[in-house]
Amino acid sequence: MCGIVGYVGEGQAASFLLDGLTRLEYRGYDSAGIAIYDGQKIQVEKSVGRLDSLKEKIKDAVPLGGLGIGHTRWATHGRPVEMNAHPHTDCTGEFVVVHNGIIENYLTLKEELIQQGHTFKSDTDTEVAVHLLEEVYDGDFEKSVREVLHRIEGSYSLVFMSKKHPDRLICTKQDNPLIIGLGECENFIASDIPAIIDRTRRAYIVKDGEIVVVKKDAVKILHHDGTLGKLEVFHITWNAEAAEKGGYEHFMLKEIHEQPKAVRNTISPRIAKDGCSIVMDELQWDAEYLSSFHKIFMIACGTAYHAALVGKYYIEKLVRLPVEVDIASEFRYRSPILDEQTLAIVVSQSGETSDTLAALREAKKLGAKTLAITNVVGSSVAREAEQVLYTWAGPEIAVASTKAYTTQLATMFMLAVYMAGIKKNISSPRMQVLIQALQRLPEQLGKTMEDVEQIKTFAKQYGFREDVFFIGRSLDYSVALEGALKLKEISYIHAEAYAAGELKHGPLALVVEGLPVIVLATQKKVYEKTISNIKEIKARDAVVIGIAVEDDHELEKYVDHVIKVPVTEELLNPLLTVVPLQLLAYYAAIARGCDVDKPRNLAKSVTVE
Ligand code: M6R
């Protein structure tokens, strides 16, 4: 996620901008830049890679001046190259902007602005904001920013600077964080508290839709309707480390809680305005293209592999094309049968997993068409696959993958609905129902995290057992696999996932008195069968924790405890049922005193075979 900083005051802007951006490095980034007004002109400096490259670049001529903005970019629209790094300027170089988030209608605006004579220098969505400001500017900076906001759609935090108004910065936000740090004869803007923590402990947390005019000795808050807002001062008591984690104890917990927003970011740019269809500008497939495929392969590792198992279900159910799912490290060593009538989809959060990359290369060599589903713009798989769908989860720092999984699921679900629409395999009313369910997910994800007391209790109660079983049928089995992986990788508890129907083919021998068994039971077609499996387990005196949907009043009759998730379309249950399993793994690891964010022997990105 991008980092934003701004400074207006009697000191040197560069000093705060570079310190502040350093403090925001934990958010992840691939390029950085600053813009400083030196009394005559706005000087913009950018660099790809670490902040140190930017510092090195300007070390002999640090721009001077008390007004400036800075940015660390985590690429979304456009590759991580210098021309796409922020700040972005208008045609005249008199207006500058930094942005965090996604401007969803940027393509339409860009076309319009190009027709009006504007010249774009980057591939970013951000640049439209500053050209739009140039276009509507009538001498009144605030009013012009307001007009820009009327035109742009999406999620953002934005800071504008203008050579024509060197006493102020104007910022605003929608669904993205932004704070104002309040100093003496200087004020600060940042996307997160760690950036300002060394300079001040007094802050204003900007609310959605507000426009804030920041001068060195005054901060004016304007509501959406133009009325004046009140400057409520928030006193920061966190230390720097706690601030990086947004007040959460670990990145994993923060990232679990980021899922509603991450899923919203993934889906909202891809739902048509009328809510009736899925738009995939990145693909633009048609019936002829789709009919050229006889088979799909999905290839991935770890959590991404578990997500692909759900993706297979979505595509087979909605698109009626056969899908084979492969573990990337197995794929190329088993002479897979692929040709030009095959679509190979590789799934990878980092886009750098070496086995996944090798599998992608193998699929290409065999003549298959390739599509990458990844979270990192400009990553190796994104560059090497013919087509890419980004998951927009934002950087995932904890080794245990959480928001990457739910956004991968959301992406694959949309891909399946999109393909089904092209193939006319789905009626319009059904498509609308599925899309509406998708749109409800962010809020429902939030609900799954509201009451964690029960999960904490289970984690304490069963966290000291050495073995746990996870079972389920159909889609529930795929989630069981992910639940078991989460538990074993961070709490070091031996966790096994089985298709519930497989139990009596062997693993039932391990089911003994007191063994915790987590049973997912959300799929109607196999519900009764799952209940029979629960009975087999209970007959061996194991302890069963059921995961069910809210309107299920049956399961509690057969299990020891139930965790419920909100009701959604059955196909979307995995996005909700995985959350209690992530939380259970997290709290079990805490109960056992494990290093949650950096589990032993594991790395975030596995770039060796
Ligand atoms: O970056 P990728 O999605 O390609 O990574 C794949 C796996 O290494 C990753 O999902 C791993 O299993 C996680 N630690 C699971 O939490």
Side-chain angles (χ1 to χ4, degrees), residues 555-578:
L555 195 67
E556 42 246 62
K557 295 181 194 155
Y558 305 99
V559 300
D560 299 280
H561 317 278
V562 192
I563 299 173
K564 292 204 173 170
V565 299
V567 180
T568 180
E569 276 291 319
E570 210 171 78
L571 287 174
L572 292 171
N573 280 333
L575 281 104
L576 300 177
T577 51
V578 76

PDB file of all heavy atoms in Angstrom, residues 555-578:
ATOM      1  N   LEU A 555     -26.911 -28.108  13.181  1.00  0.00           N
ATOM      2  CA  LEU A 555     -25.570 -28.634  13.486  1.00  0.00           C
ATOM      3  C   LEU A 555     -25.300 -28.736  14.992  1.00  0.00           C
ATOM      4  O   LEU A 555     -24.658 -29.677  15.450  1.00  0.00           O
ATOM      5  CB  LEU A 555     -24.509 -27.761  12.801  1.00  0.00           C
ATOM      6  CG  LEU A 555     -23.114 -28.387  12.720  1.00  0.00           C
ATOM      7  CD1 LEU A 555     -23.094 -29.592  11.796  1.00  0.00           C
ATOM      8  CD2 LEU A 555     -22.083 -27.375  12.249  1.00  0.00           C
ATOM      9  N   GLU A 556     -25.809 -27.728  15.755  1.00  0.00           N
ATOM     10  CA  GLU A 556     -25.501 -27.745  17.195  1.00  0.00           C
ATOM     11  C   GLU A 556     -25.956 -29.016  17.900  1.00  0.00           C
ATOM     12  O   GLU A 556     -25.468 -29.358  18.962  1.00  0.00           O
ATOM     13  CB  GLU A 556     -26.045 -26.505  17.913  1.00  0.00           C
ATOM     14  CG  GLU A 556     -27.426 -26.062  17.532  1.00  0.00           C
ATOM     15  CD  GLU A 556     -27.384 -24.707  16.833  1.00  0.00           C
ATOM     16  OE1 GLU A 556     -26.762 -24.645  15.756  1.00  0.00           O
ATOM     17  OE2 GLU A 556     -27.953 -23.753  17.367  1.00  0.00           O
ATOM     18  N   LYS A 557     -26.915 -29.720  17.259  1.00  0.00           N
ATOM     19  CA  LYS A 557     -27.399 -30.961  17.887  1.00  0.00           C
ATOM     20  C   LYS A 557     -26.334 -32.056  17.865  1.00  0.00           C
ATOM     21  O   LYS A 557     -26.391 -33.000  18.624  1.00  0.00           O
ATOM     22  CB  LYS A 557     -28.630 -31.476  17.118  1.00  0.00           C
ATOM     23  CG  LYS A 557     -29.829 -30.568  17.196  1.00  0.00           C
ATOM     24  CD  LYS A 557     -30.974 -31.199  16.434  1.00  0.00           C
ATOM     25  CE  LYS A 557     -32.078 -30.179  16.200  1.00  0.00           C
ATOM     26  NZ  LYS A 557     -32.895 -30.501  15.040  1.00  0.00           N
ATOM     27  N   TYR A 558     -25.368 -31.935  16.952  1.00  0.00           N
ATOM     28  CA  TYR A 558     -24.413 -33.043  16.762  1.00  0.00           C
ATOM     29  C   TYR A 558     -22.991 -32.726  17.211  1.00  0.00           C
ATOM     30  O   TYR A 558     -22.163 -33.618  17.260  1.00  0.00           O
ATOM     31  CB  TYR A 558     -24.382 -33.439  15.279  1.00  0.00           C
ATOM     32  CG  TYR A 558     -25.746 -33.779  14.740  1.00  0.00           C
ATOM     33  CD1 TYR A 558     -26.483 -32.845  14.015  1.00  0.00           C
ATOM     34  CD2 TYR A 558     -26.303 -35.029  14.997  1.00  0.00           C
ATOM     35  CE1 TYR A 558     -27.741 -33.150  13.540  1.00  0.00           C
ATOM     36  CE2 TYR A 558     -27.560 -35.340  14.525  1.00  0.00           C
ATOM     37  CZ  TYR A 558     -28.282 -34.395  13.793  1.00  0.00           C
ATOM     38  OH  TYR A 558     -29.523 -34.705  13.338  1.00  0.00           O
ATOM     39  N   VAL A 559     -22.715 -31.447  17.449  1.00  0.00           N
ATOM     40  CA  VAL A 559     -21.314 -31.079  17.737  1.00  0.00           C
ATOM     41  C   VAL A 559     -21.189 -30.511  19.149  1.00  0.00           C
ATOM     42  O   VAL A 559     -22.193 -30.251  19.818  1.00  0.00           O
ATOM     43  CB  VAL A 559     -20.801 -30.040  16.708  1.00  0.00           C
ATOM     44  CG1 VAL A 559     -20.862 -30.598  15.293  1.00  0.00           C
ATOM     45  CG2 VAL A 559     -21.591 -28.742  16.793  1.00  0.00           C
ATOM     46  N   ASP A 560     -19.948 -30.298  19.583  1.00  0.00           N
ATOM     47  CA  ASP A 560     -19.732 -29.746  20.925  1.00  0.00           C
ATOM     48  C   ASP A 560     -19.826 -28.228  20.933  1.00  0.00           C
ATOM     49  O   ASP A 560     -20.305 -27.639  21.890  1.00  0.00           O
ATOM     50  CB  ASP A 560     -18.355 -30.185  21.438  1.00  0.00           C
ATOM     51  CG  ASP A 560     -18.257 -31.699  21.529  1.00  0.00           C
ATOM     52  OD1 ASP A 560     -18.765 -32.248  22.515  1.00  0.00           O
ATOM     53  OD2 ASP A 560     -17.727 -32.325  20.582  1.00  0.00           O
ATOM     54  N   HIS A 561     -19.347 -27.595  19.894  1.00  0.00           N
ATOM     55  CA  HIS A 561     -19.399 -26.130  19.780  1.00  0.00           C
ATOM     56  C   HIS A 561     -19.663 -25.768  18.322  1.00  0.00           C
ATOM     57  O   HIS A 561     -19.261 -26.507  17.432  1.00  0.00           O
ATOM     58  CB  HIS A 561     -18.063 -25.480  20.163  1.00  0.00           C
ATOM     59  CG  HIS A 561     -17.413 -26.060  21.371  1.00  0.00           C
ATOM     60  ND1 HIS A 561     -17.775 -25.705  22.647  1.00  0.00           N
ATOM     61  CD2 HIS A 561     -16.417 -26.972  21.498  1.00  0.00           C
ATOM     62  CE1 HIS A 561     -17.013 -26.371  23.509  1.00  0.00           C
ATOM     63  NE2 HIS A 561     -16.188 -27.151  22.841  1.00  0.00           N
ATOM     64  N   VAL A 562     -20.262 -24.589  18.127  1.00  0.00           N
ATOM     65  CA  VAL A 562     -20.445 -24.136  16.738  1.00  0.00           C
ATOM     66  C   VAL A 562     -19.964 -22.696  16.605  1.00  0.00           C
ATOM     67  O   VAL A 562     -20.235 -21.859  17.461  1.00  0.00           O
ATOM     68  CB  VAL A 562     -21.937 -24.124  16.315  1.00  0.00           C
ATOM     69  CG1 VAL A 562     -22.057 -23.940  14.796  1.00  0.00           C
ATOM     70  CG2 VAL A 562     -22.644 -25.371  16.729  1.00  0.00           C
ATOM     71  N   ILE A 563     -19.276 -22.424  15.499  1.00  0.00           N
ATOM     72  CA  ILE A 563     -18.938 -21.043  15.139  1.00  0.00           C
ATOM     73  C   ILE A 563     -19.755 -20.743  13.887  1.00  0.00           C
ATOM     74  O   ILE A 563     -19.726 -21.524  12.925  1.00  0.00           O
ATOM     75  CB  ILE A 563     -17.437 -20.892  14.830  1.00  0.00           C
ATOM     76  CG1 ILE A 563     -16.611 -21.263  16.063  1.00  0.00           C
ATOM     77  CG2 ILE A 563     -17.118 -19.472  14.363  1.00  0.00           C
ATOM     78  CD1 ILE A 563     -15.098 -21.304  15.812  1.00  0.00           C
ATOM     79  N   LYS A 564     -20.481 -19.612  13.923  1.00  0.00           N
ATOM     80  CA  LYS A 564     -21.339 -19.325  12.769  1.00  0.00           C
ATOM     81  C   LYS A 564     -20.841 -18.120  11.970  1.00  0.00           C
ATOM     82  O   LYS A 564     -20.277 -17.189  12.523  1.00  0.00           O
ATOM     83  CB  LYS A 564     -22.767 -19.084  13.253  1.00  0.00           C
ATOM     84  CG  LYS A 564     -23.378 -20.365  13.806  1.00  0.00           C
ATOM     85  CD  LYS A 564     -24.872 -20.339  13.754  1.00  0.00           C
ATOM     86  CE  LYS A 564     -25.425 -21.697  14.160  1.00  0.00           C
ATOM     87  NZ  LYS A 564     -26.869 -21.663  14.358  1.00  0.00           N
ATOM     88  N   VAL A 565     -21.093 -18.188  10.669  1.00  0.00           N
ATOM     89  CA  VAL A 565     -20.737 -17.062   9.791  1.00  0.00           C
ATOM     90  C   VAL A 565     -22.005 -16.577   9.090  1.00  0.00           C
ATOM     91  O   VAL A 565     -22.967 -17.339   8.955  1.00  0.00           O
ATOM     92  CB  VAL A 565     -19.670 -17.466   8.738  1.00  0.00           C
ATOM     93  CG1 VAL A 565     -18.373 -17.909   9.385  1.00  0.00           C
ATOM     94  CG2 VAL A 565     -20.192 -18.547   7.792  1.00  0.00           C
ATOM     95  N   PRO A 566     -22.023 -15.322   8.620  1.00  0.00           N
ATOM     96  CA  PRO A 566     -23.228 -14.794   7.958  1.00  0.00           C
ATOM     97  C   PRO A 566     -23.643 -15.610   6.729  1.00  0.00           C
ATOM     98  O   PRO A 566     -22.810 -16.269   6.099  1.00  0.00           O
ATOM     99  CB  PRO A 566     -22.819 -13.380   7.547  1.00  0.00           C
ATOM    100  CG  PRO A 566     -21.698 -13.023   8.459  1.00  0.00           C
ATOM    101  CD  PRO A 566     -20.976 -14.298   8.755  1.00  0.00           C
ATOM    102  N   VAL A 567     -24.918 -15.512   6.408  1.00  0.00           N
ATOM    103  CA  VAL A 567     -25.455 -16.276   5.280  1.00  0.00           C
ATOM    104  C   VAL A 567     -25.119 -15.567   3.964  1.00  0.00           C
ATOM    105  O   VAL A 567     -25.365 -14.373   3.815  1.00  0.00           O
ATOM    106  CB  VAL A 567     -26.991 -16.384   5.399  1.00  0.00           C
ATOM    107  CG1 VAL A 567     -27.573 -17.176   4.229  1.00  0.00           C
ATOM    108  CG2 VAL A 567     -27.368 -17.026   6.727  1.00  0.00           C
ATOM    109  N   THR A 568     -24.555 -16.323   3.047  1.00  0.00           N
ATOM    110  CA  THR A 568     -24.305 -15.781   1.714  1.00  0.00           C
ATOM    111  C   THR A 568     -24.632 -16.861   0.691  1.00  0.00           C
ATOM    112  O   THR A 568     -25.138 -17.927   1.037  1.00  0.00           O
ATOM    113  CB  THR A 568     -22.830 -15.306   1.576  1.00  0.00           C
ATOM    114  OG1 THR A 568     -22.641 -14.803   0.269  1.00  0.00           O
ATOM    115  CG2 THR A 568     -21.818 -16.407   1.824  1.00  0.00           C
ATOM    116  N   GLU A 569     -24.357 -16.597  -0.579  1.00  0.00           N
ATOM    117  CA  GLU A 569     -24.488 -17.639  -1.594  1.00  0.00           C
ATOM    118  C   GLU A 569     -23.541 -18.772  -1.219  1.00  0.00           C
ATOM    119  O   GLU A 569     -22.379 -18.515  -0.852  1.00  0.00           O
ATOM    120  CB  GLU A 569     -24.056 -17.067  -2.959  1.00  0.00           C
ATOM    121  CG  GLU A 569     -25.131 -16.326  -3.673  1.00  0.00           C
ATOM    122  CD  GLU A 569     -26.250 -17.241  -4.145  1.00  0.00           C
ATOM    123  OE1 GLU A 569     -25.953 -18.335  -4.631  1.00  0.00           O
ATOM    124  OE2 GLU A 569     -27.416 -16.835  -4.026  1.00  0.00           O
ATOM    125  N   GLU A 570     -23.996 -19.988  -1.359  1.00  0.00           N
ATOM    126  CA  GLU A 570     -23.191 -21.133  -0.921  1.00  0.00           C
ATOM    127  C   GLU A 570     -21.780 -21.129  -1.519  1.00  0.00           C
ATOM    128  O   GLU A 570     -20.804 -21.460  -0.855  1.00  0.00           O
ATOM    129  CB  GLU A 570     -23.921 -22.398  -1.333  1.00  0.00           C
ATOM    130  CG  GLU A 570     -23.658 -23.533  -0.390  1.00  0.00           C
ATOM    131  CD  GLU A 570     -24.550 -24.713  -0.687  1.00  0.00           C
ATOM    132  OE1 GLU A 570     -24.262 -25.447  -1.640  1.00  0.00           O
ATOM    133  OE2 GLU A 570     -25.535 -24.865   0.041  1.00  0.00           O
ATOM    134  N   LEU A 571     -21.688 -20.690  -2.780  1.00  0.00           N
ATOM    135  CA  LEU A 571     -20.383 -20.668  -3.448  1.00  0.00           C
ATOM    136  C   LEU A 571     -19.401 -19.734  -2.739  1.00  0.00           C
ATOM    137  O   LEU A 571     -18.190 -19.916  -2.832  1.00  0.00           O
ATOM    138  CB  LEU A 571     -20.543 -20.182  -4.893  1.00  0.00           C
ATOM    139  CG  LEU A 571     -21.175 -21.125  -5.902  1.00  0.00           C
ATOM    140  CD1 LEU A 571     -21.392 -20.407  -7.233  1.00  0.00           C
ATOM    141  CD2 LEU A 571     -20.271 -22.331  -6.109  1.00  0.00           C
ATOM    142  N   LEU A 572     -19.926 -18.721  -2.078  1.00  0.00           N
ATOM    143  CA  LEU A 572     -19.052 -17.725  -1.455  1.00  0.00           C
ATOM    144  C   LEU A 572     -18.719 -18.057   0.004  1.00  0.00           C
ATOM    145  O   LEU A 572     -17.944 -17.342   0.638  1.00  0.00           O
ATOM    146  CB  LEU A 572     -19.681 -16.334  -1.554  1.00  0.00           C
ATOM    147  CG  LEU A 572     -19.743 -15.781  -2.984  1.00  0.00           C
ATOM    148  CD1 LEU A 572     -20.574 -14.510  -3.042  1.00  0.00           C
ATOM    149  CD2 LEU A 572     -18.343 -15.512  -3.528  1.00  0.00           C
ATOM    150  N   ASN A 573     -19.290 -19.125   0.531  1.00  0.00           N
ATOM    151  CA  ASN A 573     -19.013 -19.477   1.926  1.00  0.00           C
ATOM    152  C   ASN A 573     -17.524 -19.548   2.269  1.00  0.00           C
ATOM    153  O   ASN A 573     -17.126 -19.115   3.353  1.00  0.00           O
ATOM    154  CB  ASN A 573     -19.679 -20.814   2.279  1.00  0.00           C
ATOM    155  CG  ASN A 573     -21.156 -20.630   2.586  1.00  0.00           C
ATOM    156  OD1 ASN A 573     -21.577 -19.563   3.012  1.00  0.00           O
ATOM    157  ND2 ASN A 573     -21.949 -21.661   2.357  1.00  0.00           N
ATOM    158  N   PRO A 574     -16.664 -20.071   1.366  1.00  0.00           N
ATOM    159  CA  PRO A 574     -15.244 -20.159   1.745  1.00  0.00           C
ATOM    160  C   PRO A 574     -14.624 -18.823   2.156  1.00  0.00           C
ATOM    161  O   PRO A 574     -13.736 -18.782   3.007  1.00  0.00           O
ATOM    162  CB  PRO A 574     -14.574 -20.698   0.476  1.00  0.00           C
ATOM    163  CG  PRO A 574     -15.638 -21.502  -0.177  1.00  0.00           C
ATOM    164  CD  PRO A 574     -16.917 -20.738   0.074  1.00  0.00           C
ATOM    165  N   LEU A 575     -15.099 -17.728   1.572  1.00  0.00           N
ATOM    166  CA  LEU A 575     -14.522 -16.427   1.935  1.00  0.00           C
ATOM    167  C   LEU A 575     -14.847 -16.063   3.378  1.00  0.00           C
ATOM    168  O   LEU A 575     -14.125 -15.298   4.006  1.00  0.00           O
ATOM    169  CB  LEU A 575     -15.044 -15.313   1.010  1.00  0.00           C
ATOM    170  CG  LEU A 575     -14.364 -15.253  -0.349  1.00  0.00           C
ATOM    171  CD1 LEU A 575     -15.244 -15.829  -1.412  1.00  0.00           C
ATOM    172  CD2 LEU A 575     -13.968 -13.844  -0.693  1.00  0.00           C
ATOM    173  N   LEU A 576     -15.953 -16.586   3.895  1.00  0.00           N
ATOM    174  CA  LEU A 576     -16.332 -16.256   5.266  1.00  0.00           C
ATOM    175  C   LEU A 576     -15.857 -17.318   6.257  1.00  0.00           C
ATOM    176  O   LEU A 576     -15.379 -16.993   7.345  1.00  0.00           O
ATOM    177  CB  LEU A 576     -17.851 -16.085   5.368  1.00  0.00           C
ATOM    178  CG  LEU A 576     -18.441 -14.973   4.484  1.00  0.00           C
ATOM    179  CD1 LEU A 576     -19.956 -14.929   4.613  1.00  0.00           C
ATOM    180  CD2 LEU A 576     -17.858 -13.605   4.862  1.00  0.00           C
ATOM    181  N   THR A 577     -15.958 -18.596   5.878  1.00  0.00           N
ATOM    182  CA  THR A 577     -15.608 -19.646   6.851  1.00  0.00           C
ATOM    183  C   THR A 577     -14.112 -19.686   7.135  1.00  0.00           C
ATOM    184  O   THR A 577     -13.695 -20.171   8.184  1.00  0.00           O
ATOM    185  CB  THR A 577     -16.077 -21.040   6.366  1.00  0.00           C
ATOM    186  OG1 THR A 577     -15.615 -21.232   5.029  1.00  0.00           O
ATOM    187  CG2 THR A 577     -17.581 -21.159   6.413  1.00  0.00           C
ATOM    188  N   VAL A 578     -13.315 -19.158   6.215  1.00  0.00           N
ATOM    189  CA  VAL A 578     -11.878 -19.194   6.465  1.00  0.00           C
ATOM    190  C   VAL A 578     -11.486 -18.241   7.604  1.00  0.00           C
ATOM    191  O   VAL A 578     -10.493 -18.474   8.298  1.00  0.00           O
ATOM    192  CB  VAL A 578     -11.079 -18.871   5.171  1.00  0.00           C
ATOM    193  CG1 VAL A 578     -11.098 -17.384   4.855  1.00  0.00           C
ATOM    194  CG2 VAL A 578      -9.649 -19.360   5.289  1.00  0.00           C
TER     195      VAL A 578
END
